[in-house]
Amino acid sequence: MAALTLFILSLLVSTIIAIEDFQSTQCTDKEERPAFQALPLQLNADRKQFYFHVYFHEIFTGPNSTTTTAVSPNSDFPNFGEIGIMDVPLWGHLNQTNLIARFQGAAIQSDQKTFGWHLSFNIEFELPALKGSTLMGMGRALQLTTPREFAIVGGTGVFSLATGQMYGRRLSFPDENELWIEFKIVGYYTPMKKPDW
């Protein structure tokens, strides 16, 4: 009987010690594993560069208009708060014979002191080899200033993880009907393996 009692007491003591050790380990793990960790980045080294030289042709009025005003508020400063939607071709040549892509997005008049527009856009490629791929960009455009510059902040399809810059210079002054801008787009992308689903 005494031997049985001693065995049961030993078993209880061992269990209590094991539970305390487990709880101590759990607390230590929680302390060593924060909610966010900055881990060393390992990316595919096969990073590629891209370059495009295109011509942006915006038409404001008529049946071939590429831009429309979605919001036109009544404000003290002309056009402040105005939102325009655009779907503008990007040509490979000024003679409009080679459609490279379409510049699709929104322009918001966000400056109360001058004609300064915030642009957020996608470049949707029309070339057969790049069909379905996009570059995403954003930036500020001053209506009467050239050159202008936008940031490439992402991409899809061929241009996964794209970053870069988009440089533009106006080739014609804005008039009542159209505007030409020459763009040079440079950047990098990293090919990624797509899910098999």
Side-chain angles (χ1 to χ4, degrees):
M1 185 69 177
L4 180 60
T5 302
L6 183 61
F7 171 75
I8 292 173
L9 286 174
S10 299
L11 184 61
L12 286 173
V13 170
S14 299
T15 302
I16 291 171
I17 291 173
I19 291 173
E20 289 178 348
D21 288 341
F22 176 76
Q23 290 176 340
S24 175
T25 302
Q26 291 295 95
C27 291
T28 302
D29 287 346
K30 288 181 180 178
E31 292 171 357
E32 293 178 354
R33 296 179 184 175
F36 170 78
Q37 288 179 293
L39 301 174
L41 187 62
Q42 297 180 351
L43 287 177
N44 187 344
D46 188 24
R47 201 174 188 205
K48 300 182 182 297
Q49 186 173 15
F50 61 84
Y51 172 81
F52 294 98
H53 184 189
V54 294
Y55 297 91
F56 171 103
H57 185 207
E58 186 173 13
I59 302 173
F60 301 110
T61 60
N64 297 320
S65 172
T66 62
T67 303
T68 186
T69 300
V71 176
S72 184
N74 183 13
S75 59
D76 292 336
F77 182 81
N79 301 100
F80 178 67
E82 182 173 311
I83 300 176
I85 305 300
M86 61 185 70
D87 181 4
V88 181
L90 296 176
W91 299 100
H93 305 282
L94 284 171
N95 58 14
Q96 307 179 45
T97 57
N98 184 21
L99 181 61
I100 304 296
R102 305 196 70 84
F103 186 105
Q104 300 172 333
I108 304 171
Q109 167 59 31
S110 55
D111 195 319
Q112 296 189 67
K113 297 180 179 180
T114 185
F115 290 98
W117 297 81
H118 168 81
L119 270 69
S120 180
F121 57 88
N122 291 328
I123 296 175
E124 180 78 27
F125 286 91
E126 297 289 346
L127 293 173
L130 300 176
K131 188 72 173 178
S133 296
T134 65
L135 290 172
M136 294 105 179
M138 62 191 313
R140 186 169 186 253
L142 294 175
Q143 185 168 321
L144 301 178
T145 301
T146 187
R148 57 190 64 187
E149 184 176 338
F150 303 114
I152 300 298
V153 297
T156 63
V158 171
F159 300 109
S160 53
L161 297 179
T163 58
Q165 296 295 111
M166 187 170 178
Y167 304 97
R169 63 168 183 157
R170 191 178 60 242
L171 299 181
S172 65
F173 283 94
D175 59 26
E176 294 183 356
N177 191 44
E178 64 179 334
L179 172 66
W180 281 94
I181 300 175
E182 180 182 14
F183 278 113
K184 293 183 179 180
I185 309 169
V186 295
Y188 299 91
Y189 67 96
T190 302
M192 295 185 68
K193 183 180 179 181
K194 302 296 188 294
D196 297 330
W197 300 111

